[in-house]
Amino acid sequence: MTYQSPWMNDELHMFRKTVRRFIQEEFLPCQARWRQQRRPDADAWTQAGAAGLLLTDVPEEYGGGGGNIAHEAVIVEELARAGVHFGSLNQSILAHYILAYGTEEQKQNWLPRMARGELVGAIAMTEPGAGSDLQGIKTSAVRHDDCFMVNGSKTFITNGAHASIIGLAVKTDMSAPGLKGISVIIVEPRDVVGYSLGAPLEKIGMHGQDTCELFFDGVRVPIGNLLGPAEGNGFRQMMSQLPYERLMVAVSAVATSEEAVRMTTKYVKERRAFGAPLLDLQNTRFKMAECQTACRIGRIFLDDCIDSFLKGRLDATTAAMAKYWLTDCECHVLDECLQLHGGYGYSIEYPIARMWADSRVHRIYAGANEVMKEIIGCSL
Ligand SMILES: Cc1cc2nc3c(=O)[nH]c(=O)nc-3n(C[C@H](O)[C@H](O)[C@H](O)COP(=O)(O)OP(=O)(O)OC[C@H]3O[C@@H](n4cnc5c(N)ncnc54)[C@H](O)[C@@H]3O)c2cc1C
């Protein structure tokens, strides 16, 4: 029954062991506190940086691990399996924007500090009036001498509370229609006049992950913090970075599904009803068989996508397929697994209940699954 992802190798197995040990020893014991305070501890970032868990797929010359997406996948998988919500992926997503569109000076300035966890990254696109439809972005960045003057707000921003470097989607040309006139600028918000943070948003899951509103009221950002050679490239930049983000959400979805099946299999072997383990009921065996099969099919599709990404061939449509199908599948598997836990599955004390609530957002963020279907549909 064992299946080995073809992209795994000896070096990645060793790396996985290190990541798993770090999460178990450093992050797992803090989970109750993270959930209660609605954010990770601030020093979790420098700890993760020192352990080599940040920016693993960024070149060493910029302080990164010099690896590739497989290293990031290992981290996302291990966090998912442990049920730990720590925004190292968002850190990597922002780093990829800087790598792709930053000048040499920008890369040297920001990436090494991000790799050490001294800077905590967030990527801020969503606004109260602009989620799926980024045409609605109203946060403005108007040139004023050697600065952009930024006004507006963002919502649902992962790592928002700790963020000390933000990739901010703004309108630099308010007169440009729709998706034109959008740019991405880098904001270092610490101790900046006009910047403020909302209280953590009360979500149904992922309680240990900070998700915040950000407010900009006349925040001055140096002109040199624009990403890309010219203004107005923001939408194109976002579209070309989103497949990476979507693939990584799919990685998390498959790892979460596999972990749910593993823990439910154990549970139905131990829990007894009608004088025998739950697994002796044919319905239980059939449900577990269905979930195990869904996980295997999902894993093989995911591995193919990772392989394509490693070869530089993952297109936006296939990334959308992976994001939509694997997260839909995850929610189905999680629901079946919760059902087999009975009332205990509805108790937040049980990991399956938390996984069920935590995973629901996978169908919404990084582009709602309906938007993914539009992308796929348009490609036909
Ligand atoms: C926990 C969490 C973390 C997040 N982290 C970040 C972050 O770090 N940075 C960031 O910028 N954003 C983040 N988001 C925001 C997230 O990306 C948006 O919530 C998402 O893009 C959907 O936007 P919306 O909430 O405005 O929903 P809307 O755009 O209002 O859409 C609502 C629903 O309408 C349907 N719909 C929308 N468009 C279409 C369509 N074209 N066709 C058919 N149906 C459609 C979908 O069912 C969708 O779920 C996060 C959200 C959550 C909940």
Side-chain angles (χ1 to χ4, degrees), residues 122-124 139 150 154 166-170 183-187 214 216:
I123 185 89
T139 299
V150 181
K154 295 286 172 181
I166 301 170
L168 189 70
V170 290
S183 303
V184 177
I185 60 171
I186 299 292
V187 182
L214 316 179
F216 302 85

Side-chain angles (χ1 to χ4, degrees), residues 323-324 363-364 367-376:
K323 197 274 172 181
Y324 132 63
R363 288 164 59 196
I364 297 170
N369 282 5
E370 292 81 358
V371 175
M372 299 303 99
K373 290 181 197 176
E374 284 291 358
I375 294 171
I376 301 158

Side-chain angles (χ1 to χ4, degrees), residues 225-347:
N225 285 19
L226 175 74
L227 278 190
E231 294 170 20
N233 288 317
F235 185 67
R236 187 184 53 76
Q237 292 170 344
M238 289 189 274
M239 288 307 107
S240 56
Q241 293 301 313
L242 276 166
Y244 175 82
E245 180 175 350
R246 289 173 179 157
L247 178 57
M248 297 313 278
V249 172
V251 169
S252 184
V254 172
T256 305
S257 310
E258 290 171 342
E259 180 60 17
V261 170
R262 191 198 61 75
M263 74 172 56
T264 306
T265 305
K266 183 168 179 292
Y267 184 82
V268 296
K269 283 180 180 173
E270 288 167 5
R271 176 76 179 169
R272 294 175 72 82
F274 304 101
L278 284 178
L279 190 62
D280 281 10
L281 298 167
Q282 188 189 52
N283 176 67
T284 309
R285 290 197 305 278
F286 279 16
K287 288 296 176 193
M288 293 312 300
E290 287 164 18
C291 290
Q292 176 74 351
T293 307
C295 285
R296 179 65 60 85
I297 293 168
R299 167 62 63 186
I300 288 168
F301 177 38
L302 176 70
D303 284 345
D304 188 58
C305 291
I306 291 175
D307 185 56
S308 297
F309 192 97
L310 285 166
K311 291 174 177 151
R313 293 206 296 250
L314 184 73
D315 59 275
T317 305
T318 310
M321 288 176 182
K323 197 274 172 181
Y324 132 63
W325 198 82
L326 294 170
T327 60
D328 265 15
C329 189
E330 172 192 24
C331 287
H332 177 71
V333 166
L334 265 287
D335 201 64
E336 297 287 19
C337 288
L338 184 149
Q339 182 72 15
L340 290 171
H341 280 74
Y344 301 96
Y346 199 65
S347 165

Side-chain angles (χ1 to χ4, degrees), residues 90 123-128 130-133 155-158 203 206 211 361 364-368 370-371 374:
N90 298 65
I123 185 89
M125 302 180 198
T126 308
E127 298 185 4
S132 306
D133 183 6
T155 191
F156 293 125
I157 305 308
T158 303
K203 311 184 293 288
M206 289 195 179
T211 313
V361 76
I364 297 170
Y365 66 20
E370 292 81 358
V371 175
E374 284 291 358

